[in-house]
DNA sequence: AGCTAAGCGAGACGGTACGTCAAGTCTTTCA
DNA sequence: TGAAAGACTTGACGTACCGTCTCGCTTAGCT
């Protein structure tokens, strides 16, 4: 009825040898926006305006009317470039977050992955983490938006973690036979759970504790720092 | 900005020795509905109507107008008993699901927990799993509803898992020092991730694989079946 | 495809003995607005606001948004009371014009009818005559609005002329066998023609000339002043 | 505020001795379309496409986009040849109707004029009569279009009737001193009234009755068949 | 047993946002 | 150079659902 189908990452080349291909077929929901010089200008104006609105007032402030006005663009145009409000917001959020999280490099597999979990936990606990939760929520009812969120935000995040995992595999720290997607979902699913439900804190200690549990299940005992 | 605070379970009795008390202070959002005979009738009528609507058309069909009409109750009354639409839906969903998942009893700790994961995965993949996702999403923007969702649905689920964990602790299968909340979130967070994002399947195999990873991190090697 | 069916006058009693019953069956398009104290207040507020807008900027200024805002009423409410923008405007215009044209009383049939034609011609030539034309035009595409225009504006006008005609009949000035509707349409159709097409002036002389032609065809030669 | 000024017929030649020159000054609204071979092809393509659309779905189907697409012409080009949508539609309608009504020739003045009224009444009652009403309505808000409607449709109609009237004058059937414009407007205004308002039928009997009334006012008693 | 006050059904209402439509203008690209 | 293609702005439309409000009836619970 309302399954999402969020992820269809562009898979841009051999940087990531590990397979993170989505198991579900790629939806054709991402609109090909009109081409041309004007289109490019509009595209960036809209995304900047949306990002600003998201920062200032969260998803609920990023109304189509508000975006249109702030970007100096008409609503009709918005709907010609994106299939829904969620899609605009998702793409804007993705670009805004593009290089927010630095790739950790501690020298050890456990260290890298733990630090990544800490970064994400911190992000979730921030204001933008709230926006992230709102977007996840919005995507539940809007598969079209979900495709954008997968493409422009989630794919990048997953690729980053997949790269860390690939390093661990190279180092011989990974427990054999463990799927990278299981690693990612186990490491960050718990954080997402807490972000959405809010039943448990998202503190650094809590994150470290969760990372420890998850890494014990995925790395070899010898890899534990 | 928009953290939820979903869980404030009533913790009714000593069945669960392990601590799953929420770390965040309990919100006072749950309304005390008017008392009296009529109130009881209204309460159950509304919840049944809402449950039926949720089953038939998901959260989006459970409009306040629709609920009011189906229950033969006025909207004003609805708002006297519950703070918001989400709250009604959450409570109705909780009661509807009250005894949907049987408590597994395989004889081993790993078996019990794995089976629980399989059950939940199956539930997520069902139509009602979609409704669950919608409710999670709705709660992101409505803390009041979130309180109801925590109280009437999540608390029960977590308590059930906590009991399985307590058994594992008694059996000496649990890795010492592991927090029960970390266990729960790690075991089910990954499933929730997949439910919401839909990037990976929710099949039995996938669930078993995730359970395996998570249990390796929480149970002692000696407990692995 | 787009015939109107404008007129369904209430026919309020024996004042007018002559038959001006519409030949087309009465449409059921006029909405029964919600009842109650609030409704009454809203009704009058809306109609006053609309009348003001019509006076100030014609039909094109009487937007639903503008009306809603000026009347301090929500658009949804407007659509609960009236089926369309045209309907609101038509009713407001009707009430606004209710007693704009005095009933002539010159002592002779020809005098009365001629004076009426002059009045109407003058009205057509005024700003409000323009609004009248706009309403006629709007009703062409909106049968629901047409019903309101018939009920709240045209019916009254026709009844007024019908009364003059009835007097002429009593006086023995009317050519026998002439239908009152033919009289009305012949007397005023030419004016309407000129209002809409604008090919010929709506001056007093022109109106007198038209009235003369039409009355020669409807009154007996003996009645001509 | 919104008077139209529809009629500015080119008056091309002595065929009509009677004066039907408009009393209002001729507006300069009719665009001189670009000249050249391509222009001619475009012109006819557009007008044919528009006529087809008008026939199929009335004025509301004759969108500028629809016309442009059907004619294989760009919208910019449309606006280079005509000042507005109404103008295109009006011209297309005029050409489409060019020889729809045959000129009656019954041998008597009254017969000719009555038959013309019957023809027009029949036309009004047809689907194309509805389109005619829509065009009249559209012209109310668009003087530029009105000019085209006058030039390419109304002028021809009026000239035809004027010719009948000229014949009556030659025959000595016309009441002396009656203006041809008064004749035309009186004869057909009533029909237009009924077309637009729809309060009375447009049947042949009704038309005959109206013609009778009007002709009694314009022809001499001796001319009545 | 009857009265009073609260609870309640019905549904009108304001508000906010949505997604859509068509007119008319402007820009790019092709012939 | 002029036109096709079509992107864009503008302004309004009609709809959806939330949560509040008002009315008048019903019922509970006290006197």
């Amino acid at each position: 009825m309302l399954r999402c189908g969020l992820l269809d990452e562009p898979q841009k080349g051999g940087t990531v040898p590990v397979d993170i291909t989505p198991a579900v077929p790629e939806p054709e929901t991402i609109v090909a926006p009109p081409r041309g010089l004007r289109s490019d200008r509009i595209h960036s104006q809209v995304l900047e305006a949306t990002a600003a609105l998201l920062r200032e007032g969260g998803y609920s402030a990023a109304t189509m009317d508000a975006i249109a006005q702030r970007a100096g663009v008409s609503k009709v145009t918005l709907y010609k470039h994106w299939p829904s409000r969620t899609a605009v917001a998702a793409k804007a959020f993705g670009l805004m977050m593009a290089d927010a999280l630095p790739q950790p490099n501690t020298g050890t597999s456990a260290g890298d992955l733990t630090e990544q979990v800490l970064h994400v936990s911190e992000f979730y606990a921030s204001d933008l983490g709230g926006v992230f939760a709102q977007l996840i929520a919005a995507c539940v009812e809007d598969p079209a938006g979900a495709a954008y969120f997968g493409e422009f935000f989630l794919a990048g995040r997953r690729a980053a973690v997949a790269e860390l995992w690939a390093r661990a595999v190279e180092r011989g720290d990974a427990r054999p036979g463990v799927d990278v997607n299981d690693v990612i979902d186990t490491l960050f699913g718990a954080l997402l759970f807490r972000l959405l439900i809010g039943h448990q804190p998202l503190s650094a200690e809590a994150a470290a504790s969760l990372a420890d549990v998850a890494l014990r299940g995925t790395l070899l005992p010898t890899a534990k720092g």
Side-chain angles (χ1 to χ4, degrees), chain A:
Chain A
M1 176 207 304
L2 33 83
R3 204 56 19 78
C4 299
L6 244 178
L7 213 66
D8 45 326
E9 61 264 79
Q11 209 70 304
K12 62 293 230 182
T15 39
V16 179
V18 189
D19 176 35
I20 55 167
T21 318
V24 288
E26 174 162 337
E28 300 296 339
T29 358
I30 294 195
V31 163
R35 310 198 164 273
L37 295 182
R38 264 202 293 181
S39 285
D40 291 349
R41 207 200 57 229
I42 284 177
H43 223 76
S44 54
Q45 280 176 354
V46 166
L47 293 174
E48 274 168 36
T50 309
L53 288 166
L54 286 176
R55 262 190 298 265
E56 292 167 16
Y59 179 67
S60 52
T63 302
M64 281 307 234
D65 288 280
I67 294 171
Q69 185 177 353
R70 169 94 65 128
V73 147
S74 96
K75 255 201 312 178
V76 177
T77 303
L78 285 185
Y79 283 102
K80 281 209 183 102
H81 286 244
W82 291 274
S84 70
R85 173 191 176 195
T86 320
V88 192
K91 181 153 186 184
F93 187 76
L95 299 189
M96 173 167 86
M97 292 280 107
D99 30 36
L101 291 197
Q103 193 76 331
N105 196 350
T106 59
T108 70
S109 303
D112 286 358
L113 290 163
T114 301
E115 191 165 323
Q116 184 78 348
V117 168
L118 289 173
H119 284 159
V120 168
S121 151
E122 200 177 338
F123 162 58
Y124 281 3
S126 72
D127 272 2
L128 286 174
V131 175
F132 171 72
Q134 292 179 310
L135 284 172
I136 291 268
C139 286
V140 166
E141 308 270 20
D142 178 10
Y148 279 74
F149 200 45
E151 165 104 15
F152 296 105
F153 182 74
L154 296 175
R157 300 290 145 185
R158 295 183 78 86
V161 182
E163 193 184 319
L164 296 183
W165 180 249
R167 275 198 234 145
V169 169
E170 278 173 23
R171 284 189 186 121
D173 290 340
R175 195 187 291 272
V178 172
D179 186 60
V180 60
N181 287 300
D182 287 0
V183 175
I184 298 174
D185 294 347
T186 303
L187 272 173
F188 300 99
L191 293 181
L192 180 66
F193 205 164
R194 296 191 174 183
L195 169 63
L196 291 174
I197 309 299
H199 58 294
Q200 288 287 316
L202 279 168
S203 64
E205 299 79 39
S209 167
L210 284 173
D212 181 61
V213 166
L215 290 181
R216 248 187 244 277
T218 52
L219 297 181
L220 290 171
T222 54
K224 286 297 299 175

